Amino acid sequence: MSATPGTAATPGAPEIRPFTFEFPEAELEDLRARIKAARWPEKETVADQSQGPQLETMKELARYWASEYDWRKAEAKLKAVPHFITEIDGLDIHFIHVRSKHEDALPLIVTHGWPGSVVEQLKIIDPLTNPTAHGGSASDAFHLVIPSMPGYGFSGKPATTGWGPERIARAWGELMKRLGYTKYGAQGGDWGAIVTDLMGAQEPEGLIGIHTNMPKVIPAAIDAALAVGNPLPEGLSLSADEQAAVEQLDFVYRHVYYAYMMASRPQTLTGLVDSPVGLAAFLLDHDAASLALISRSFAGVAEGLTRDDVLDNITLFWLTNTAVSAARLYAENKTSFFGINGVKLPVAVSVFPDELYQAPKSWTEQAYPNLVHYNRLPKGGHFAAWEQPELLVDEVRAGFRTLR
């Protein structure tokens, strides 16, 4: 049972307030003017994307963004769901809260990642809350809570250090308690997977299990070696799947330069809040598969993410001025991106082929002794809810089916 908007289910807790937003036309006109005034670099000196987003892609993105893209359509999609805000641990936390019409629905808190926002989850809201309209049964229904992480979207921007993923995980437990949910699940990808995994390790009251599409299963010795570019420990005997995962993670650790920059010098990224084209280029360059997918979308190939999908998210970053505040999460992080947290609760894992790495089932079973679901999907990448919502919805339903 959720709290009535404007009240708190937990006695003495800060109130839960309805949240509304509006961006004046003048801000959108300023955005378009800045895009049109962009100062461009020369073309890349290679024929691929090894130097980052290609000039052709960025120029087409800017042309479309300034002349054809309509933020008001994205705004309408966001406004079509209920928004709330509440203060937790001294910080305003924004969240979408959609209750299913099916009273036996399982509450589920879903967390986005970087460079994402609650825009990532919009496509999965109706299929999860209203399954009978999307090929599912009433027994698969969820009540959804989708928060904006601190420094992202409509949530508050921490003014002091300390808001790392462990603290966010604790705040999410408090949020679900405040909403009056005494039995619930958690789901996430990217940072959302890290926060969700930490929730699983913390075991807040009421959490019955988690679903992740970026599992944290890398054995400690292997993770420690790969993170600093050292050789693997001697004497390891790896299966073909494990060796493939090692090679994928080695590539990731050698190429996530954006993460190193945000982790060490987030304030150096001040230019991202001044140049929309600079912001877009930085947000596009998360991983090779996602960049390729997005580049194809701006070249006219319809698959996974559309041009509008991409620009909905980037425009929200711009309008909320959260490029640097979101980046600070990397500076706050003290945990491994892929290392084991010791989760004992039930865990469901979905492995998408274009994820940063494909988690071997052997490592997944070792990391999660209470593994209730493991599946490798035929397509999809790092932003599963955004790219392949139908597949992720099926996975979330299957993952929690035995836990209700």
Side-chain angles (χ1 to χ4, degrees):
M1 186 72 178
S2 70
T4 302
T7 69
T10 305
E15 67 176 359
I16 296 166
R17 313 182 302 276
F19 177 82
T20 59
F21 62 92
E22 190 71 49
F23 295 105
E25 191 62 29
E27 290 192 34
L28 300 178
E29 291 173 357
D30 175 70
L31 169 59
R32 287 189 286 267
R34 287 171 181 261
I35 297 168
K36 291 176 180 178
R39 183 180 176 188
W40 296 101
E42 63 285 347
K43 187 179 185 295
E44 60 278 356
T45 57
V46 294
D48 55 26
Q49 297 181 97
S50 59
Q51 293 182 353
Q54 293 172 301
L55 182 63
E56 181 181 12
T57 298
M58 293 310 304
K59 283 193 169 182
E60 176 57 20
L61 180 151
R63 184 204 64 78
Y64 183 79
W65 199 4
S67 62
E68 296 183 40
Y69 173 73
D70 185 0
W71 162 255
R72 297 305 183 193
K73 291 181 179 179
E75 195 172 74
K77 287 187 289 187
L78 280 167
K79 288 183 174 181
V81 293
H83 296 254
F84 301 92
I85 201 162
T86 190
E87 183 184 314
I88 299 177
D89 204 6
L91 191 71
D92 276 345
I93 299 296
H94 159 265
F95 61 99
I96 293 169
H97 187 195
V98 182
R99 284 184 56 82
S100 173
K101 66 182 179 181
H102 302 290
E103 284 303 313
D104 292 333
L106 177 68
L108 182 70
I109 184 166
V110 183
T111 310
H112 67 81
W114 185 95
S117 64
V118 295
V119 166
E120 283 185 61
Q121 279 79 37
L122 291 178
K123 297 176 186 177
I124 66 173
I125 291 177
D126 201 59
L128 288 176
T129 58
N130 187 20
T132 53
H134 297 271
S137 64
S139 60
D140 285 324
F142 292 88
H143 302 307
L144 291 184
V145 178
I146 306 173
S148 296
M149 290 194 296
Y152 288 70
F154 300 115
S155 279
K157 301 175 183 179
T160 59
T161 59
W163 274 99
E166 295 92 344
R167 189 173 180 181
I168 296 172
R170 291 193 296 271
W172 282 191
E174 170 59 28
L175 175 59
M176 296 303 278
K177 178 182 178 182
R178 191 171 298 179
L179 288 169
Y181 289 131
T182 57
K183 177 184 178 181
Y184 65 92
Q187 196 283 328
D190 192 84
W191 276 113
I194 294 171
V195 169
T196 297
D197 209 86
L198 287 165
M199 289 183 73
Q202 293 171 3
E203 298 189 19
E205 184 178 358
L207 181 63
I208 61 169
I210 68 172
H211 175 273
T212 175
N213 50 282
M214 194 185 82
K216 289 168 59 65
V217 303
I218 307 304
I222 294 176
D223 186 52
L226 292 174
V228 296
N230 285 343
L232 295 185
E234 294 183 3
L236 289 178
S237 178
L238 301 177
S239 68
D241 283 349
E242 292 166 352
Q243 182 61 42
V246 165
E247 293 171 1
Q248 291 160 349
L249 283 167
D250 182 60
F251 180 87
V252 168
Y253 275 124
R254 292 176 188 274
H255 291 85
V256 287
Y257 304 117
Y258 63 88
Y260 299 132
M261 173 62 79
M262 290 189 286
S264 61
R265 309 291 286 179
Q267 207 68 19
T268 299
L269 301 173
T270 295
L272 300 186
V273 304
D274 187 59
S275 167
V277 170
L279 172 67
F282 194 77
L283 297 185
L284 257 57
D285 198 15
H286 178 274
D287 66 274
S290 295
L291 175 58
L293 174 68
I294 291 168
S295 297
R296 290 194 295 272
S297 75
F298 283 98
V301 179
E303 58 170 312
L305 300 177
T306 67
R307 297 178 176 203
D308 283 359
D309 286 334
V310 175
L311 288 173
D312 290 348
N313 183 60
I314 296 172
T315 306
L316 183 62
F317 263 84
W318 177 263
L319 294 173
T320 55
N321 192 18
T322 49
V324 172
S325 59
R328 292 194 188 104
L329 178 56
Y330 285 82
E332 294 291 346
N333 182 47
K334 303 296 187 292
T335 186
S336 163
F337 288 124
F338 309 111
I340 298 169
N341 280 325
V343 178
K344 300 298 191 296
L345 291 176
V347 178
V349 169
S350 300
V351 179
F352 286 83
D354 289 329
E355 181 53 271
L356 299 180
Y357 84 103
Q358 282 73 64
K361 189 173 184 181
S362 56
W363 287 355
T364 304
E365 290 172 335
Q366 293 169 23
Y368 302 126
N370 199 350
L371 184 68
V372 296
H373 175 83
Y374 175 94
N375 189 32
R376 286 180 175 254
L377 284 300
K379 60 181 177 179
H382 188 68
F383 304 100
W386 210 17
E387 298 172 34
Q388 300 294 337
E390 296 87 358
L391 291 179
L392 187 72
V393 164
D394 287 344
E395 286 295 290
V396 171
R397 290 174 180 170
F400 286 101
R401 197 162 282 146
T402 63
L403 305 181
R404 292 174 177 270

